[in-house]
C-alpha cells in the first residue's frame, strides 16, 4: 500500500495550478490527461489524493468512512493543525453549523428540520413564480437588444426565489449575492490574508442581518422557512440561533451560487454548440434532459473534499491516515470517458446521461429539485423569448476553481 507521498509513482502524480488562468478557464484539458493516465492521482498543488472517475467519485461521496468534517473525531493537535485564525472568526461561525459540513447525528437533525421545504412536491408549486420572474426580467432588457446576462438574469432568479422562500425581502436578494460572492473567495487556492479579512467582514455583516430577521420573526411570525426553523421541534429540541444563522446563510448561498453558474455555463454551451434550440426545449421531458446534460457537460462545482474518519486502505492502492483529505472531482467525473460516450461532446439527446453535479449520499444537495426547476424554466424561457441569442464577447470564468462559473456573459439578439 502507498503510505507516503514519497512512495507515490510519478504516473500517479499530477500538477496544475488552480490559480493559472490557462487551467481554470479550461480544466477539461487537464481532466483529459488524468483520465488517460490515472483517474486516481496525487495532486501535488493541493497535497492530497484526488479521484476523477465517475464510479469512484459516486462511490466515495456515499462512503461513510469519509466525512465533511473531522474535528468530531479528532483534535486539531492530534491532526497537527494550527489554531484557528482570529481574523476569520465570523466566517468560521457562519460555517460552524452548516449542513454542508456537519456529520450525523447533528447533520441528520438539522436536515430533517429543513428538508420538507425543498422536496419536489413543494418546489413544484414555485413554477408559476419562477416563470413570472423570468419573463419579468426579460421584459426589462429585451428592448435593449443586448445585455450582460449573469447580473441581469442568471443571478436574480435563484437569488430572489431562495430569498422569498427563507423570508429575506426581495430587495435584499442581490445584497445576499454580494455577501455570498465575497465569502466564496475563501475556497480559492492560495487565499491571501486580505481575502480572508474581506470574506470575514462579509460573514459578519451577513450574520448580523440574519440575526435581525430572526428577532423580527420571533415578534411577527410569517409563512417562511426562517419562521419554520425558529418554531420547529424535533424530539423536544429546537434549533439554536447559531444553528439557524448557519443554516439560513448556507441555504441562501447554496440556493443561488450553483444555479447562477449553471445558467451562465449552460447558455454559453448551448450557443457555442450551434444545436437546434427549439429541439432541445421541445417538450418538458426534453427540457429536463437538456438541463441534466448542461449540468454534466460544464458543472458548477468541480471539487468537493472529504476527510478520512479513520485509517483507510482503498482497493486502488491508496492508503489514507485518519484526517487525510481527499478531493472528489465532480467536473472530471462528469466527463469520464469510461462512463460517457463522447464525454466531451454536449449532447442533450444522449441516452447515457447522468451527473454527480449535486453530489451524492447524505450531503446530496438539498436544493437540487429547486435548482432543476429554476434551470428548466429560466433556460427554456430565455431561448423561447430570445431565439436569436448570440455571444458578443468571449466569456471568461471566475478565478475560483472549485466554483466554476462565468465572470460575465455578454449576449445580443
Amino acid at each position: 500500500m502507498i503510505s507516503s507521498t514519497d512512495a507515490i509513482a510519478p504516473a500517479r502524480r499530477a500538477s496544475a495550478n488552480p490559480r493559472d488562468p490557462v487551467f481554470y478557464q479550461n480544466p477539461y484539458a487537464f481532466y483529459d490527461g488524468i483520465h488517460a493516465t490515472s483517474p486516481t492521482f496525487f495532486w501535488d498543488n493541493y497535497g492530497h489524493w484526488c479521484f476523477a472517475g465517475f464510479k469512484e467519485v459516486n462511490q466515495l461521496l456515499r462512503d461513510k468512512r469519509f466525512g465533511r468534517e473531522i474535528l468530531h473525531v479528532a483534535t486539531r493537535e492530534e491532526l497537527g493543525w494550527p489554531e484557528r485564525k482570529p481574523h476569520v472568526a465570523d466566517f468560521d461561525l457562519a460555517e460552524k453549523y452548516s449542513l454542508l459540513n456537519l456529520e450525523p447525528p447533528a447533520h441528520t437533525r438539522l436536515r430533517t428540520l429543513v428538508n420538507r421545504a425543498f422536496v419536489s412536491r413543494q418546489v413544484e408549486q414555485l413554477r408559476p413564480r419562477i416563470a413570472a420572474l423570468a419573463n419579468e426580467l426579460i421584459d426589462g432588457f429585451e428592448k435593449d437588444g443586448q445585455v450582460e446576462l449573469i447580473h441581469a438574469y442568471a443571478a436574480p432568479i435563484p437569488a430572489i426565489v431562495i430569498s422569498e422562500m427563507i423570508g429575506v425581502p426581495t430587495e435584499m436578494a442581490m445584497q445576499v449575492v454580494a455577501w455570498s460572492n465575497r465569502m466564496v473567495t475563501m475556497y480559492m487556492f492560495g487565499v491571501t490574508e486580505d481575502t480572508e479579512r474581506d470574506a470575514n467582514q462579509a460573514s459578519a455583516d451577513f450574520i448580523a442581518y440574519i440575526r435581525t430577521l430572526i428577532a423580527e420573526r420571533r415578534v411577527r411570525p410569517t409563512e417562511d422557512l426562517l419562521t419554520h426553523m425558529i418554531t420547529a421541534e424535533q424530539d423536544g429540541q429546537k434549533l439554536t440561533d447559531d444553528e439557524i444563522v448557519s443554516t439560513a446563510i448556507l441555504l441562501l448561498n447554496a440556493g443561488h451560487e450553483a444555479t447562477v453558474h449553471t445558467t451562465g455555463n449552460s447558455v454559453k454551451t448551448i450557443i457555442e454548440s450551434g444545436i437546434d434550440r427549439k429541439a432541445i426545449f421541445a417538450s418538458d421531458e426534453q427540457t429536463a434532459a437538456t438541463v441534466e446534460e448542461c449540468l454534466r457537460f460544464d458543472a458548477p462545482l468541480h471539487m468537493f473534499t472529504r476527510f478520512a474518519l479513520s485509517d483507510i486502505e482503498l482497493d486502488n492502492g491508496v492508503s489514507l491516515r485518519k484526517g487525510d483529505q481527499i478531493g472528489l472531482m465532480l467536473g472530471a467525473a462528469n466527463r469520464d470517458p469510461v462512463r460517457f460516450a463522447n464525454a466531451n461532446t454536449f449532447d442533450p439527446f444522449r441516452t447515457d446521461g447522468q451527473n454527480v453535479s449535486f453530489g451524492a449520499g447524505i450531503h446530496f444537495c438539498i436544493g437540487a429539485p429547486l435548482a432543476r426547476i429554476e434551470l428548466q424554466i429560466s433556460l427554456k424561457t430565455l431561448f423561447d423569448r430570445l431565439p436569436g441569442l448570440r455571444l458578443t464577447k468571449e466569456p471568461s470564468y471566475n478565478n475560483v476553481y472549485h466554483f466554476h462559473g462565468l465572470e460575465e456573459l455578454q449576449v445580443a439578439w
Side-chain angles (χ1 to χ4, degrees):
M1 284 292 174
I2 298 165
S3 59
S4 74
T5 57
D6 294 334
I8 301 170
R12 302 195 80 184
R13 305 184 77 116
S15 296
N17 182 359
R19 298 295 297 274
D20 181 352
V22 174
F23 171 77
Y24 67 74
Q25 292 298 333
N26 180 26
Y28 300 107
F30 174 68
Y31 299 163
D32 286 345
I34 293 301
H35 285 307
T37 53
S38 179
T40 296
F41 67 101
F42 191 88
W43 196 335
D44 287 326
N45 306 74
Y46 280 102
H48 60 62
W49 284 94
C50 290
F51 301 81
F54 185 92
K55 179 181 177 181
E56 290 77 13
V57 169
N58 196 26
Q59 289 178 342
L60 288 168
L61 284 167
R62 306 167 191 273
D63 193 327
K64 295 182 179 179
R65 295 176 299 173
F66 295 89
R68 278 289 298 167
E69 65 174 351
I70 185 64
L71 294 178
H72 63 308
V73 295
T75 64
R76 300 183 75 87
E77 184 179 19
E78 180 185 347
L79 297 168
W81 289 6
E83 290 301 311
R84 294 187 184 278
K85 300 175 181 178
H87 65 267
V88 293
D90 291 298
F91 178 84
D92 287 342
L93 179 59
E95 296 264 291
K96 186 174 182 179
Y97 298 104
S98 168
L99 275 170
L100 190 61
N101 297 329
L102 293 178
E103 291 297 309
H107 174 274
T108 308
R109 171 173 161 265
L110 271 175
R111 184 155 180 146
T112 299
L113 285 168
V114 300
N115 188 60
R116 73 179 190 186
F118 293 94
V119 295
S120 296
R121 64 179 178 276
Q122 286 293 110
V123 296
E124 279 290 337
Q125 299 174 23
L126 295 173
R127 280 188 181 272
R129 171 57 179 145
I130 297 168
L133 183 56
N135 280 291
E136 177 186 323
L137 290 168
I138 295 172
D139 288 344
F141 58 70
E142 183 178 19
K143 64 182 181 300
D144 300 330
Q146 61 182 8
V147 76
E148 194 291 292
L149 204 67
I150 300 298
H151 294 91
Y153 190 73
I157 292 175
I160 290 172
V161 170
I162 192 63
S163 293
E164 291 178 349
M165 286 181 69
I166 289 176
V168 173
T170 302
E171 61 270 19
M172 283 294 294
M174 298 315 293
Q175 176 60 67
V176 165
V177 172
W179 283 327
S180 176
N181 288 343
R182 290 164 64 194
M183 291 176 69
V184 161
T185 59
M186 285 289 282
Y187 296 98
M188 293 172 67
F189 180 82
V191 180
T192 65
E193 184 174 329
D194 285 345
T195 296
E196 290 176 337
R197 290 186 180 278
D198 185 65
N200 192 71
Q201 186 58 57
S203 303
D205 294 342
F206 208 163
I207 289 170
Y209 178 66
I210 296 298
R211 289 196 187 283
T212 298
L213 288 183
I214 292 171
E216 291 176 0
R217 291 300 185 279
R218 291 196 192 281
V219 177
R220 290 182 297 277
T222 56
E223 292 294 324
D224 55 41
L225 188 52
L226 193 59
T227 300
H228 169 70
M229 287 192 285
I230 292 169
T231 59
E233 290 188 23
Q234 184 184 11
D235 300 326
Q237 288 187 315
K238 289 188 175 184
L239 296 178
T240 66
D241 279 9
D242 283 349
E243 288 175 327
I244 295 171
V245 167
S246 278
T247 304
I249 288 177
L250 170 69
L251 295 176
L252 286 163
N253 287 355
H256 82 272
E257 191 81 36
T259 309
V260 174
H261 296 334
T262 306
T263 303
N265 297 356
S266 299
V267 172
K268 171 183 178 292
T269 295
I270 291 168
I271 292 175
E272 290 180 339
S273 73
I275 204 161
D276 183 350
R277 300 164 190 185
K278 287 186 177 180
I280 63 175
F281 296 111
S283 66
D284 290 346
E285 182 178 5
Q286 181 55 53
T287 296
T290 296
V291 166
E292 294 307 303
E293 177 66 352
C294 287
L295 284 161
R296 182 198 73 83
F297 184 77
D298 202 13
L301 303 168
H302 274 228
M303 187 194 291
F304 273 164
T305 54
R306 295 286 190 272
F307 290 105
L309 301 180
S310 61
D311 293 350
I312 299 170
E313 294 184 350
L314 299 176
D315 294 338
N316 53 15
V318 174
S319 180
L320 300 168
R321 302 295 297 271
K322 180 180 179 179
D324 282 352
Q325 198 169 37
I326 61 171
L328 305 179
M329 302 176 65
L330 310 184
N334 286 341
R335 295 282 195 102
D336 183 355
V338 173
R339 173 62 180 78
F340 301 101
N342 303 311
N344 286 328
T345 299
F346 175 68
D347 179 9
F349 307 105
R350 67 169 60 245
T351 56
D352 61 349
Q354 196 179 354
N355 62 78
V356 287
S357 295
F358 291 116
I362 67 167
H363 288 291
F364 179 79
C365 177
I366 195 171
L370 174 61
R372 285 183 161 118
I373 289 173
E374 289 173 336
L375 291 163
Q376 290 164 16
I377 294 171
S378 66
L379 291 173
K380 177 175 171 53
T381 302
L382 182 68
F383 283 102
D384 281 353
R385 291 280 306 270
L386 306 174
L389 204 65
R390 67 184 188 279
L391 300 177
T392 59
K393 181 182 177 182
E394 180 68 24
S396 61
Y397 291 90
N398 285 304
N399 181 15
V400 187
Y401 163 61
H402 287 204
F403 295 87
H404 185 66
L406 299 171
E407 287 184 299
E408 61 176 15
L409 186 60
Q410 300 286 353
V411 296
W413 49 91

